[in-house]
Protein backbone atom coordinates (compact mmCIF):
# COMPACT_ATOMS: atom_id res chain seq x y z
CA UNK A 1 0.00 0.00 0.00
CA UNK A 2 1.34 3.44 -0.96
CA UNK A 3 2.35 5.50 2.06
CA UNK A 4 0.27 8.62 2.75
CA UNK A 5 2.25 11.76 1.99
CA UNK A 6 2.71 14.16 4.92
CA UNK A 7 0.08 16.94 4.91
CA UNK A 8 0.93 20.64 5.02
CA UNK A 9 -2.14 22.75 5.89
CA UNK A 10 -2.66 26.42 5.03
CA UNK A 11 -5.18 28.17 7.28
CA UNK A 12 -6.44 31.50 5.94
CA UNK A 13 -8.47 34.36 7.24
CA UNK A 14 -10.49 35.68 4.29
CA UNK A 15 -11.32 39.40 4.55
CA UNK A 16 -8.26 41.56 3.74
CA UNK A 17 -6.16 38.38 3.59
CA UNK A 18 -7.35 36.85 0.31
CA UNK A 19 -9.79 39.60 -0.74
CA UNK A 20 -9.31 43.35 -0.57
CA UNK A 21 -11.90 44.36 2.06
CA UNK A 22 -14.73 42.97 4.24
CA UNK A 23 -16.75 40.58 2.07
CA UNK A 24 -20.06 42.28 2.96
CA UNK A 25 -18.74 45.55 1.49
CA UNK A 26 -18.66 44.39 -2.15
CA UNK A 27 -22.35 43.72 -2.81
CA UNK A 28 -24.44 43.11 0.32
CA UNK A 29 -24.03 46.49 2.02
CA UNK A 30 -24.49 48.50 -1.23
CA UNK A 31 -27.73 46.51 -1.80
CA UNK A 32 -29.05 48.08 1.43
CA UNK A 33 -28.33 51.55 0.05
CA UNK A 34 -25.68 52.04 2.75
CA UNK A 35 -21.95 52.69 2.77
CA UNK A 36 -19.70 50.20 4.59
CA UNK A 37 -18.92 52.77 7.30
CA UNK A 38 -22.66 53.33 7.90
CA UNK A 39 -23.44 49.61 8.14
CA UNK A 40 -20.53 48.76 10.43
CA UNK A 41 -21.26 51.75 12.70
CA UNK A 42 -24.86 50.52 12.97
CA UNK A 43 -23.89 46.89 13.66
CA UNK A 44 -21.09 47.71 16.12
CA UNK A 45 -23.21 50.30 17.94
CA UNK A 46 -26.06 47.80 18.29
CA UNK A 47 -23.62 45.21 19.64
CA UNK A 48 -22.08 47.59 22.20
CA UNK A 49 -25.44 48.91 23.46
CA UNK A 50 -26.78 45.40 23.99
CA UNK A 51 -23.49 43.73 24.97
CA UNK A 52 -23.74 41.27 22.08
CA UNK A 53 -20.78 39.47 20.54
CA UNK A 54 -19.68 41.52 17.55
CA UNK A 55 -20.16 38.67 15.06
CA UNK A 56 -23.70 37.92 16.25
CA UNK A 57 -24.44 41.65 16.20
CA UNK A 58 -23.49 42.04 12.53
CA UNK A 59 -25.38 38.87 11.56
CA UNK A 60 -28.53 40.17 13.27
CA UNK A 61 -28.10 43.60 11.67
CA UNK A 62 -27.90 41.97 8.22
CA UNK A 63 -31.26 40.24 8.77
CA UNK A 64 -32.92 43.28 10.39
CA UNK A 65 -31.86 45.78 7.71
CA UNK A 66 -32.83 43.42 4.87
CA UNK A 67 -36.28 42.91 6.40
CA UNK A 68 -36.68 46.63 7.08
CA UNK A 69 -36.03 47.39 3.41
CA UNK A 70 -38.02 44.41 2.07
CA UNK A 71 -34.96 42.97 0.34
CA UNK A 72 -34.53 39.25 -0.46
CA UNK A 73 -32.33 37.47 2.06
CA UNK A 74 -31.83 33.81 1.22
CA UNK A 75 -28.81 31.57 1.20
CA UNK A 76 -28.64 31.68 -2.59
CA UNK A 77 -28.93 35.48 -2.55
CA UNK A 78 -25.89 35.70 -0.26
CA UNK A 79 -23.92 33.22 -2.41
CA UNK A 80 -24.67 35.42 -5.45
CA UNK A 81 -23.32 38.43 -3.56
CA UNK A 82 -20.01 36.58 -3.23
CA UNK A 83 -19.52 36.67 -7.01
CA UNK A 84 -18.31 40.27 -6.76
CA UNK A 85 -15.45 39.58 -4.34
CA UNK A 86 -12.16 41.13 -5.50
CA UNK A 87 -9.10 38.98 -4.79
CA UNK A 88 -5.54 40.16 -4.26
CA UNK A 89 -3.07 39.70 -7.16
CA UNK A 90 -2.05 36.08 -7.68
CA UNK A 91 -4.73 34.57 -5.41
CA UNK A 92 -6.72 33.04 -8.28
CA UNK A 93 -3.99 30.55 -9.26
CA UNK A 94 -2.10 30.50 -5.93
CA UNK A 95 -3.69 27.24 -4.80
CA UNK A 96 -2.82 25.32 -7.97
CA UNK A 97 0.77 26.58 -7.88
CA UNK A 98 1.29 25.81 -4.20
CA UNK A 99 -0.32 22.38 -4.50
CA UNK A 100 2.01 21.51 -7.38
CA UNK A 101 5.05 22.77 -5.48
CA UNK A 102 4.04 20.72 -2.43
CA UNK A 103 3.80 17.57 -4.55
CA UNK A 104 7.27 18.25 -5.94
CA UNK A 105 8.55 18.26 -2.34
CA UNK A 106 6.71 15.06 -1.37
CA UNK A 107 3.93 16.66 0.67
CA UNK A 108 0.19 17.01 0.16
CA UNK A 109 -1.04 20.61 0.58
CA UNK A 110 -4.52 21.37 1.94
CA UNK A 111 -6.21 24.76 2.30
CA UNK A 112 -8.75 25.85 4.94
CA UNK A 113 -10.65 29.06 5.67
CA UNK A 114 -11.13 30.26 9.26
CA UNK A 115 -13.10 33.50 8.94
CA UNK A 116 -15.45 35.73 10.90
CA UNK A 117 -17.13 36.55 7.59
CA UNK A 118 -20.02 34.60 6.07
CA UNK A 119 -19.62 31.12 4.61
CA UNK A 120 -22.45 31.81 2.18
CA UNK A 121 -20.64 34.79 0.63
CA UNK A 122 -17.31 32.91 0.52
CA UNK A 123 -19.05 30.09 -1.36
CA UNK A 124 -19.94 32.57 -4.09
CA UNK A 125 -16.30 33.53 -4.65
CA UNK A 126 -14.32 32.12 -7.55
CA UNK A 127 -11.94 30.25 -5.21
CA UNK A 128 -14.47 28.52 -2.91
CA UNK A 129 -13.71 25.10 -4.43
CA UNK A 130 -10.04 25.30 -3.41
CA UNK A 131 -10.69 24.66 0.31
CA UNK A 132 -10.99 21.33 2.10
CA UNK A 133 -13.22 23.06 4.64
CA UNK A 134 -14.59 26.58 5.11
CA UNK A 135 -15.05 27.55 8.76
CA UNK A 136 -16.95 30.82 8.80
CA UNK A 137 -20.05 32.38 10.32
CA UNK A 138 -23.22 30.97 8.81
CA UNK A 139 -27.01 31.18 9.17
CA UNK A 140 -29.49 28.35 9.71
CA UNK A 141 -32.38 28.65 7.26
CA UNK A 142 -35.98 27.44 7.77
CA UNK A 143 -38.05 25.49 5.22
CA UNK A 144 -38.92 28.68 3.34
CA UNK A 145 -35.22 29.58 3.01
CA UNK A 146 -35.33 32.37 5.58
CA UNK A 147 -32.37 32.81 7.99
CA UNK A 148 -33.70 32.22 11.50
CA UNK A 149 -30.67 31.50 13.69
CA UNK A 150 -26.86 31.60 13.59
CA UNK A 151 -25.56 28.16 12.65
CA UNK A 152 -21.99 29.17 13.46
CA UNK A 153 -20.47 32.42 14.72
CA UNK A 154 -16.68 32.64 14.44
CA UNK A 155 -15.15 35.37 16.58
CA UNK A 156 -11.41 35.90 17.00
CA UNK A 157 -10.88 33.53 19.94
CA UNK A 158 -13.32 30.92 18.58
CA UNK A 159 -11.02 30.65 15.54
CA UNK A 160 -8.56 28.57 17.58
CA UNK A 161 -10.96 25.60 17.96
CA UNK A 162 -10.80 25.06 14.20
CA UNK A 163 -7.01 24.80 14.34
CA UNK A 164 -7.51 21.85 16.73
CA UNK A 165 -10.13 20.33 14.41
CA UNK A 166 -7.71 20.46 11.47
CA UNK A 167 -4.91 19.09 13.68
CA UNK A 168 -6.98 16.03 14.66
CA UNK A 169 -8.92 15.67 11.41
CA UNK A 170 -12.25 16.17 13.23
CA UNK A 171 -13.77 18.58 10.71
CA UNK A 172 -17.49 18.27 11.65
CA UNK A 173 -18.33 21.27 13.89
CA UNK A 174 -21.11 19.30 15.61
CA UNK A 175 -18.64 16.62 16.78
CA UNK A 176 -17.20 17.90 20.05
CA UNK A 177 -16.68 14.49 21.64
CA UNK A 178 -14.05 13.24 19.18
CA UNK A 179 -12.41 16.66 19.17
CA UNK A 180 -11.90 16.49 22.94
CA UNK A 181 -10.90 12.84 23.10
CA UNK A 182 -7.26 12.23 24.02
CA UNK A 183 -5.13 11.40 20.98
CA UNK A 184 -1.38 10.69 20.85
CA UNK A 185 0.55 13.34 18.94
CA UNK A 186 1.90 10.92 16.35
CA UNK A 187 -1.63 9.91 15.26
CA UNK A 188 -2.92 13.45 14.68
CA UNK A 189 -3.74 14.07 11.02
CA UNK A 190 -1.91 17.39 10.56
CA UNK A 191 0.83 18.21 13.11
CA UNK A 192 0.89 21.84 14.26
CA UNK A 193 4.45 21.96 12.91
CA UNK A 194 2.97 21.42 9.41
CA UNK A 195 0.56 24.37 9.61
CA UNK A 196 0.86 27.87 8.15
CA UNK A 197 -1.65 30.50 9.32
CA UNK A 198 -2.16 33.54 7.10
CA UNK A 199 -4.06 36.62 8.29
CA UNK A 200 -4.01 40.39 8.30
CA UNK A 201 -4.68 41.78 11.75
CA UNK A 202 -5.77 41.68 15.37
CA UNK A 203 -8.63 39.20 14.87
CA UNK A 204 -5.98 36.66 13.81
CA UNK A 205 -3.69 37.13 16.82
CA UNK A 206 -4.95 34.13 18.89
CA UNK A 207 -4.34 31.76 15.95
CA UNK A 208 -1.02 33.40 15.10
CA UNK A 209 0.24 33.08 18.67
CA UNK A 210 -0.97 29.49 18.77
CA UNK A 211 0.93 28.66 15.58
CA UNK A 212 4.17 30.10 16.93
CA UNK A 213 3.76 28.39 20.32
CA UNK A 214 3.17 24.97 18.74
CA UNK A 215 5.88 25.13 16.07
CA UNK A 216 3.82 26.20 13.06
CA UNK A 217 4.30 29.40 11.07
CA UNK A 218 2.31 32.64 11.09
CA UNK A 219 2.29 35.14 8.24
CA UNK A 220 0.56 38.53 8.07
CA UNK A 221 -0.22 40.23 4.76
CA UNK A 222 -0.81 43.95 4.40
CA UNK A 223 -2.09 46.71 2.17
CA UNK A 224 -0.69 50.22 2.47
CA UNK A 225 -3.58 51.14 4.81
CA UNK A 226 -2.70 48.57 7.49
CA UNK A 227 1.06 48.20 7.06
CA UNK A 228 1.86 49.83 10.43
CA UNK A 229 -0.48 47.50 12.30
CA UNK A 230 1.07 44.47 10.65
CA UNK A 231 4.60 45.70 11.40
CA UNK A 232 3.49 45.88 15.05
CA UNK A 233 2.52 42.18 14.91
CA UNK A 234 6.04 41.38 13.72
CA UNK A 235 7.70 43.62 16.32
CA UNK A 236 5.70 41.98 19.14
CA UNK A 237 6.56 38.44 18.03
CA UNK A 238 3.04 37.48 16.97
CA UNK A 239 4.02 36.54 13.41
CA UNK A 240 7.10 35.11 11.74
CA UNK A 241 6.85 37.12 8.52
CA UNK A 242 4.95 40.04 6.96
CA UNK A 243 4.42 40.58 3.23
CA UNK A 244 2.53 42.85 0.88
CA UNK A 245 -0.69 41.11 -0.13
CA UNK A 246 0.53 39.91 -3.51
CA UNK A 247 0.38 36.16 -4.07
CA UNK A 248 1.85 36.23 -7.59
CA UNK A 249 4.58 33.80 -8.59
CA UNK A 250 8.06 35.07 -7.71
CA UNK A 251 6.96 37.57 -5.02
CA UNK A 252 8.62 37.56 -1.61
CA UNK A 253 5.48 35.94 -0.18
CA UNK A 254 5.51 33.17 -2.80
CA UNK A 255 9.23 32.42 -2.39
CA UNK A 256 9.13 32.38 1.42
CA UNK A 257 6.08 30.11 1.54
CA UNK A 258 7.88 27.67 -0.77
CA UNK A 259 10.89 27.72 1.57
CA UNK A 260 8.58 26.97 4.51
CA UNK A 261 7.12 24.00 2.61
CA UNK A 262 10.66 22.77 1.87
CA UNK A 263 11.53 23.04 5.56
CA UNK A 264 8.38 21.15 6.61
CA UNK A 265 9.03 18.42 4.02
CA UNK A 266 12.62 17.95 5.25
CA UNK A 267 11.49 17.91 8.90
CA UNK A 268 9.00 15.16 8.06
CA UNK A 269 11.73 13.12 6.34
CA UNK A 270 14.04 13.49 9.35
CA UNK A 271 11.25 12.52 11.77
CA UNK A 272 10.47 9.45 9.66
CA UNK A 273 14.13 8.39 9.63
CA UNK A 274 14.38 8.87 13.40
CA UNK A 275 11.21 6.84 13.98
CA UNK A 276 12.39 3.99 11.74
CA UNK A 277 15.74 3.83 13.54
CA UNK A 278 14.08 3.76 16.96
CA UNK A 279 11.77 0.95 15.88
CA UNK A 280 14.67 -1.01 14.40
CA UNK A 281 16.40 -1.11 17.77
CA UNK A 282 13.49 -1.50 20.16
CA UNK A 283 10.13 -2.00 18.56
CA UNK A 284 7.83 0.99 18.95
CA UNK A 285 10.16 3.04 21.13
CA UNK A 286 9.11 6.67 20.87
CA UNK A 287 11.31 9.74 21.41
CA UNK A 288 11.77 10.55 25.11
CA UNK A 289 10.63 7.05 26.05
CA UNK A 290 13.09 5.11 28.20
CA UNK A 291 13.80 1.65 26.83
CA UNK A 292 15.96 -1.22 28.11
CA UNK A 293 17.93 -2.97 25.38
Amino acid sequence: MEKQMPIVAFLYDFDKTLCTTDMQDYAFIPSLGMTPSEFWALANGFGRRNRIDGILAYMYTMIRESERKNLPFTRQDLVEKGRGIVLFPGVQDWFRRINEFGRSQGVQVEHYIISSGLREIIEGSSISGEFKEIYASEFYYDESGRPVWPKLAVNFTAKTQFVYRINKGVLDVSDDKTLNDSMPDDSKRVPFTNMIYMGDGLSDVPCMKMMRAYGGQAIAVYQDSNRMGVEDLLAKGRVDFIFKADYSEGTALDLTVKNIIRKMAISDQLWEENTQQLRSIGGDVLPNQVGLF
Side-chain angles (χ1 to χ4, degrees):
M1 190 174 76
E2 190 180 346
K3 184 179 171 295
Q4 165 72 42
M5 286 198 293
I7 299 167
V8 168
F10 283 77
L11 287 47
Y12 307 87
D13 178 37
F14 198 85
D15 295 343
K16 300 175 189 167
T17 297
L18 296 174
C19 66
T20 58
T21 188
D22 293 321
M23 64 183 71
Q24 296 86 350
D25 296 3
Y26 295 107
F28 175 77
I29 293 172
S31 77
L32 298 175
M34 301 174 80
T35 64
S37 58
E38 288 170 340
F39 175 84
W40 293 113
L42 188 68
N44 295 335
F46 169 72
R48 278 192 297 271
R49 284 193 307 278
N50 295 284
R51 300 184 71 181
I52 298 174
D53 175 86
I55 308 304
L56 293 170
Y58 95 65
M59 293 174 78
Y60 178 81
T61 303
M62 289 179 77
I63 294 175
R64 187 188 65 192
E65 290 303 303
S66 295
E67 286 179 348
R68 201 164 67 80
K69 295 177 180 175
N70 293 314
L71 294 168
F73 194 101
T74 64
R75 191 176 210 292
Q76 190 52 42
D77 185 60
L78 286 174
V79 171
E80 285 301 319
K81 286 183 167 48
R83 311 270 183 233
I85 284 174
V86 179
L87 302 169
F88 283 122
V91 168
Q92 191 68 52
D93 64 349
W94 164 261
F95 307 95
R96 176 188 57 77
R97 288 187 281 112
I98 293 300
N99 293 348
E100 287 175 1
F101 182 79
R103 279 193 294 275
S104 77
Q105 301 300 306
V107 299
Q108 175 185 331
V109 177
E110 294 179 350
H111 306 273
Y112 297 83
I113 292 291
I114 306 179
S115 169
S116 296
L118 279 183
R119 180 186 177 113
E120 294 91 327
I121 295 179
I122 294 170
E123 286 181 359
S125 73
S126 59
I127 56 172
S128 62
E130 304 288 356
F131 305 105
K132 185 169 178 68
E133 189 57 83
I134 296 171
Y135 293 116
S137 304
E138 186 179 4
F139 291 103
Y140 170 73
Y141 299 84
D142 65 14
E143 296 78 8
S144 68
R146 221 167 44 87
V148 292
W149 198 258
K151 187 172 175 179
L152 190 63
V154 181
N155 67 23
F156 64 104
T157 47
K159 283 185 171 189
T160 56
Q161 76 147 294
F162 304 109
V163 180
Y164 287 108
R165 288 193 178 281
I166 294 162
N167 171 235
K168 289 187 168 185
V170 184
L171 303 185
D172 180 352
V173 296
S174 65
D175 183 358
D176 289 334
K177 184 191 179 301
T178 313
L179 179 64
N180 290 308
D181 282 348
S182 179
M183 187 183 288
D185 283 342
D186 62 350
S187 66
K188 289 175 181 171
R189 187 172 181 275
V190 186
F192 291 118
T193 50
N194 279 21
M195 291 185 181
I196 304 166
Y197 185 89
M198 300 183 67
D200 72 288
L202 288 178
S203 68
D204 302 302
V205 165
C207 284
M208 289 169 165
K209 289 181 72 174
M210 186 177 171
M211 281 297 104
R212 299 203 73 210
Y214 289 167
Q217 304 267 227
I219 295 173
V221 298
Y222 62 82
Q223 304 175 74
D224 291 341
S225 58
N226 72 324
R227 178 166 185 160
M228 284 185 66
V230 166
E231 286 177 352
D232 191 56
L233 294 177
L234 182 65
K236 290 179 175 170
R238 290 169 160 181
V239 296
D240 298 292
F241 306 102
I242 63 172
F243 296 104
K244 189 174 178 63
D246 185 345
Y247 293 74
S248 305
E249 190 156 16
T251 58
L253 170 58
D254 175 70
L255 295 173
T256 300
V257 163
K258 287 173 178 172
N259 279 334
I260 292 170
I261 292 172
R262 282 190 187 96
K263 183 196 82 166
M264 290 176 171
I266 290 167
S267 294
D268 268 303
Q269 291 167 24
L270 293 172
W271 181 85
E272 186 67 33
E273 176 67 19
N274 173 256
T275 302
Q276 286 178 4
Q277 289 194 8
L278 283 166
R279 286 179 177 154
S280 73
I281 59 173
D284 283 334
V285 180
L286 294 173
N288 304 319
Q289 180 179 336
V290 176
L292 296 175
F293 306 110

